[in-house]
Amino acid sequence: MSEITAEQVAHLAYLARIDLSPLEITSLTHDLGQIVDSIAKVSEVATADTPATSHPMPLTNVFREDVVVPSLTVEQALSGAPDRAGDKFRVPAILDEE
């Protein structure tokens, strides 16, 4: 079992400006103890010859190649727009800035 104490949890709660009840402190002391113990177990297994991984299985690039394809003309893109300004969509201003 880890060495996390209720006093440490209460002190951390004070530093974080979190108001915890005595019941919450007891519960968090237990939970944080389990977390510390779990990290200690992983640390025992992780040796210098164990490569660091971010995923349990190797990943490959799943992106497709960029391919240039025909797209809409300006007129086609703006054909359904309620309002336009030249070759651009016109939208209502949302800020008081120009």
Side-chain angles (χ1 to χ4, degrees):
M1 189 69 183
S2 75
E3 300 174 10
I4 300 290
T5 65
E7 291 77 25
Q8 290 173 319
V9 173
H11 181 67
L12 288 172
Y14 171 78
L15 293 175
R17 309 271 196 276
I18 300 172
D19 187 23
L20 296 177
S21 70
L23 182 61
E24 291 171 318
I25 290 174
T26 302
S27 175
L28 285 172
T29 301
H30 178 262
D31 293 346
L32 290 172
Q34 285 185 325
I35 292 169
V36 169
D37 290 343
S38 297
I39 292 171
K41 278 185 184 175
V42 170
S43 297
E44 290 173 7
V45 175
T47 60
D49 59 336
T50 305
T53 59
S54 63
H55 243 297
M57 298 203 226
L59 296 178
T60 57
N61 188 352
V62 295
F63 299 112
R64 63 171 171 75
E65 292 293 322
D66 286 336
V67 178
V68 178
V69 295
S71 60
L72 298 175
T73 65
V74 172
E75 287 304 318
Q76 289 171 325
L78 293 172
S79 67
D83 197 7
R84 65 187 278 183
D87 289 346
K88 299 176 180 71
F89 292 96
R90 182 186 299 268
V91 295
I94 59 170
L95 303 174
D96 291 333
E97 301 173 4
E98 288 291 321

